[in-house]
Amino acid sequence: MQLRWDYPAAPREGAYGPVTSNHNFCEEDYLITPYIGEFINTLTNATYVIYGLHGLRRVGPRKDGGLISTLAFPYWGLIGVGVLSAWFHATLKYHSQMGDDLSMFLAVGAILHQLLCFEAPPTQRRKYTAAILGSVVPVSMYHVWADEIYVHEITFAIMIFLVSRRIRALIKKQVKSEESRKRLGRMTSSGLACGLFGYFLWNIDFHLCSHVTAFKRYIGLPWGFIFELHGWWHILTGICSYVSMAMVEYLVTMEAGTTGRIEEGFVWPVKAILRDFDRVETGGEKKRL
């Protein structure tokens, strides 16, 4: 049985005409089908969609949630990231690239809004909403008009920093047990490390593409798919995003003194970590958060 196939000798033409996007990542175009420009980079966006759907499945039936609620908006944003990014990697067009670039603001903006508005009075919530929209909308318009990436990246990095800082502050405020604080802090750090490692792979894929491509062609198909590093960026940032969103959802909906099956409805890796809270015992009694 043949377990290795050579890569095509020449690039294939896609069904959508010439590539017009400014970014064309290391995966070879239209390798599998003329209808999907970057096959693995498109497929791995399912990570965002799957995690987003799991989040909606959890918050949908909640009395304080629903499919149209502040609890659900981050998960809708995560699904939007997956759909728009898949659209870009499948078509490799400039307009779909803009959708991919700007979709990141959907998810991080929704989670930042949720964090800032938690326990805030209505007047303050309106101010936070106006501040987020007043920052993201002009940056998005400038990005599309000028095709300039640095302002977009700086804005996104600032929003990520604010989310991370706010999550840690909320852990300190909401969680009374020192052991539980440490566990949630480690989960936050693990999610961040996952995202940073994904960014490391993104840079290898982007800056060392010729070397990565040579290696993939050497080992052939389907083994070369394992080294589509931009695809791993999607998977790892999907995990990172879900950890952050699930963490925030848990913190803003937790009830003081609640124990027992608090992990229900969450999925890996959050479910495994929250399940451990019920296993933390002191003097034969469960610690309470």
Side-chain angles (χ1 to χ4, degrees):
M1 180 183 296
Q2 185 177 0
L3 296 177
R4 181 190 181 280
W5 292 268
D6 290 331
Y7 277 77
R12 295 177 177 176
E13 185 175 345
Y16 310 110
V19 173
T20 59
S21 61
N22 291 335
H23 299 301
N24 192 353
F25 292 95
C26 199
E27 183 175 2
E28 297 187 37
D29 298 345
Y30 302 106
L31 190 62
I32 303 299
T33 168
Y35 297 99
I36 300 179
E38 296 171 347
F39 186 78
I40 297 299
N41 288 349
T42 301
L43 188 65
T44 49
N45 279 291
T47 306
Y48 302 114
V49 177
I50 291 170
Y51 272 126
L53 290 174
H54 272 295
L56 293 178
R57 181 177 62 86
R58 174 178 161 82
V59 303
R62 292 183 62 99
K63 293 181 180 179
D64 56 350
L67 294 180
I68 306 298
S69 65
T70 55
L71 290 179
F73 287 157
Y75 295 120
W76 281 117
L78 192 59
I79 293 171
V81 170
V83 171
L84 291 172
S85 181
W87 179 39
F88 162 55
H89 288 290
T91 62
L92 301 177
K93 295 295 185 180
Y94 176 76
H95 56 274
S96 60
Q97 177 198 326
M98 291 296 106
D100 181 30
D101 290 346
L102 299 179
S103 68
M104 296 187 295
F105 286 147
L106 287 175
V108 71
I111 196 170
L112 180 60
H113 181 267
Q114 186 180 34
L115 282 165
L116 292 175
C117 292
F118 176 60
E119 293 186 339
T123 303
Q124 194 65 32
R125 291 185 182 186
R126 287 192 290 269
K127 289 181 180 179
Y128 285 137
T129 302
I132 293 173
L133 292 176
S135 301
V136 169
V137 172
V139 169
S140 300
M141 293 174 64
Y142 176 71
H143 176 65
V144 173
W145 173 71
D147 190 24
E148 195 274 342
I149 194 66
Y150 294 109
V151 174
H152 173 274
E153 290 183 345
I154 291 171
T155 304
F156 183 71
I158 291 172
M159 294 174 74
I160 291 293
F161 171 77
L162 292 175
V163 166
S164 177
R165 183 177 179 181
R166 193 73 176 182
I167 286 177
R168 292 187 179 278
L170 199 57
I171 290 174
K172 187 175 181 180
K173 176 183 177 182
Q174 293 288 92
V175 181
K176 306 305 180 185
S177 164
E178 185 63 29
E179 176 65 20
S180 296
R181 283 184 185 178
K182 290 180 180 179
R183 287 170 180 265
L184 289 176
R186 285 196 293 268
M187 183 167 75
T188 302
S189 298
S190 298
L192 180 60
C194 192
L196 290 174
F197 183 62
Y199 185 61
F200 170 72
L201 295 180
W202 184 96
N203 277 279
I204 293 177
D205 180 87
F206 191 77
H207 296 291
L208 300 176
C209 180
S210 60
H211 300 285
V212 175
T213 299
F215 179 73
K216 289 187 296 186
R217 283 186 164 269
Y218 173 75
I219 62 176
L221 293 170
W223 313 110
F225 288 152
I226 300 173
F227 295 92
E228 296 298 350
L229 302 184
H230 192 85
W232 284 107
W233 153 260
H234 291 157
I235 294 171
L236 293 170
T237 53
I239 295 171
C240 171
S241 300
Y242 176 71
V243 167
S244 299
M245 292 177 181
M247 172 78 76
V248 173
E249 180 201 334
Y250 170 69
L251 290 171
V252 301
T253 60
M254 64 182 293
E255 298 176 7
T258 299
T259 59
R261 312 301 293 174
I262 58 177
E263 77 280 1
E264 286 299 322
F266 291 111
V267 293
W268 183 91
V270 175
K271 184 173 184 176
I273 296 172
L274 291 182
R275 185 188 295 125
D276 285 343
F277 284 133
D278 278 346
R279 299 174 183 171
V280 178
E281 296 183 355
T282 302
E285 294 184 359
K286 292 177 182 177
K287 281 188 177 180
R288 295 182 181 270
L289 299 182

